[in-house]
Amino acid sequence: MNGFNVAAELRKEKVNTPILMLTAKDAVPDKVTGLDSGADDYMTKPFETAELLARVRALTRRQGEVIINELSFEDLRLDLSTCDLSCGAKSTHLNYKEFEILKLLMSNPKTAITKEDLIIKVWGYDSDATDNNVEAYISFLRRKIKFVGSKVNITALRKVGYRLESADA
């Protein structure tokens, strides 16, 4: 698939990510085709790094801040605006602490998150929360993940912490 097709497909799928085409095709018809297919900007090789960086800055200024509304891992989706966890058509609402724990795990897929990190980031540095609190909320999350029918597991890593894994792995 060439760059023109990729840009067109992204726009067809309503993806608003800025697209800067960087190509050796320098004929005017190629530039027109690239821009008409959905690219926001078009540069030809060879190019100067300073110009490329300036164009990237300009594109990101025009597009504004990128807002992420959802995290996903395998078949599991977490809606950041509603705190809803879903898999396929089935969903359930998470309470604040469940949401914050799962958000940390999904933001760092396949990475171990220690109990200490979870306590500090979810309960707060000066909290009286203990490992038992973390274990209880992990248990709640496991039940909710199972309820929505996901193949994702929260795996305990002895003496390390927790991480998300696919049941298929």
Side-chain angles (χ1 to χ4, degrees), residues 10-28:
L10 287 170
R11 295 307 180 226
K12 180 179 158 191
E13 296 293 325
K14 305 283 189 238
V15 174
N16 293 323
T17 303
I19 299 172
L20 183 142
M21 292 189 116
L22 185 58
T23 178
K25 295 183 176 189
D26 60 356
V28 171

Side-chain angles (χ1 to χ4, degrees), residues 1-127:
M1 186 178 280
N2 68 33
F4 301 135
N5 293 342
V6 171
E9 187 64 27
L10 287 170
R11 295 307 180 226
K12 180 179 158 191
E13 296 293 325
K14 305 283 189 238
V15 174
N16 293 323
T17 303
I19 299 172
L20 183 142
M21 292 189 116
L22 185 58
T23 178
K25 295 183 176 189
D26 60 356
V28 171
D30 291 324
K31 293 177 184 179
V32 170
T33 301
L35 293 167
D36 285 346
S37 67
D40 297 292
D41 199 356
Y42 192 104
M43 284 184 69
T44 58
K45 299 178 201 175
F47 61 91
E48 292 294 325
T49 305
E51 181 183 3
L52 173 64
L53 294 174
R55 287 174 182 257
V56 169
R57 285 191 301 272
L59 283 173
T60 56
R61 268 195 312 270
R62 276 191 292 235
Q63 295 296 321
E65 184 178 330
V66 175
I67 298 171
I68 299 172
N69 294 322
E70 180 179 278
L71 291 175
S72 63
F73 178 76
E74 298 293 336
D75 60 354
L76 201 58
R77 290 184 320 281
L78 180 62
D79 187 314
L80 300 178
S81 59
T82 64
C83 301
D84 288 338
L85 176 67
S86 61
C87 177
K90 204 163 189 184
S91 70
T92 187
H93 186 74
L94 302 181
N95 71 35
Y96 175 76
K97 290 199 182 345
E98 292 168 336
F99 172 76
E100 289 297 321
I101 290 169
L102 193 56
K103 184 170 81 170
L104 275 168
L105 290 168
M106 290 180 80
S107 295
N108 302 283
K110 299 184 181 180
T111 302
I113 308 291
T114 66
K115 288 180 183 178
E116 294 80 26
D117 281 344
L118 289 170
I119 289 170
I120 290 168
K121 291 178 180 170
V122 175
W123 280 268
Y125 186 75
D126 294 330
S127 168

